[in-house]
Amino acid sequence: MALRKPLVIINGLTQKIPSGDTLDATVQATNALTLTNANAASITIGQPVYVSAADTVDLANSAAIGTSRPLGLVMDASIAASATGNIQTSGSLTSSDWTSVVGAATLTASSVYYLDGTAGKLTATAPTTGFLTKVGASVSTTELEINVEQPIGL
């Protein structure tokens, strides 16, 4: 198989990469937003949140349509009430302790996780009432690949 060189743009012209040059670019595997916690209590890493008002988030749950559309998962270890913090909307989120989110220290590897009926929780068992919202799938016992889908009314 012949060695092929990638195409690059140099001075507005598309051409093969010159000999001796290399490509160097940072790949961003996650998307995150900085928003304010509107909950009366702290929210912790991995908890699903929805946009509750302009630039604010609160704990998501599958009970009602308004709360069943999670924006993403809390990325910071903790975000205090009325404080700002990072919400991860895609990519892989890793935590050494998922207890506050799934009720166990670790995820079940290779499982799909859905928004739970309890605010701020995820479950590997698809809900049968309210709204079904897939949030992501576990890659390992500590890592969840975030892929939020639209809620389906049950």
Side-chain angles (χ1 to χ4, degrees):
M1 183 166 162
L3 180 63
R4 297 180 188 217
K5 292 186 174 186
L7 296 177
V8 295
I9 299 174
I10 300 174
N11 296 325
L13 299 173
T14 303
Q15 55 188 308
K16 291 181 188 176
I17 191 167
S19 295
D21 282 2
T22 60
L23 296 176
D24 184 21
T26 302
V27 176
Q28 186 170 348
T30 62
N31 287 319
L33 302 169
T34 302
L35 298 168
T36 301
N37 174 9
N39 195 285
S42 293
I43 53 178
T44 59
I45 189 167
Q47 288 191 294
V49 294
Y50 71 98
V51 176
S52 58
D55 300 321
T56 63
V57 293
D58 203 347
L59 296 174
N61 69 70
S62 66
I65 189 64
T67 60
S68 68
R69 293 183 174 135
L71 173 66
L73 304 179
V74 174
M75 189 174 177
D76 298 335
S78 179
I79 304 171
S82 300
T84 59
N86 296 303
I87 308 303
Q88 187 170 329
T89 60
S90 66
S92 182
L93 180 67
T94 301
S95 177
S96 59
D97 186 0
W98 287 89
T99 305
S100 66
V101 181
V102 300
T106 60
L107 300 169
T108 302
S110 301
S111 290
V112 172
Y113 280 85
Y114 304 92
L115 192 58
D116 192 75
T118 303
K121 305 287 184 186
L122 297 176
T123 178
T125 305
T128 56
T129 61
F131 293 85
L132 175 71
T133 307
K134 179 183 170 190
V135 176
S138 58
V139 177
S140 69
T141 58
T142 59
E143 186 177 359
L144 186 77
E145 184 67 26
I146 302 168
N147 184 20
V148 179
E149 295 182 359
Q150 289 294 317
I152 299 169
L154 301 173

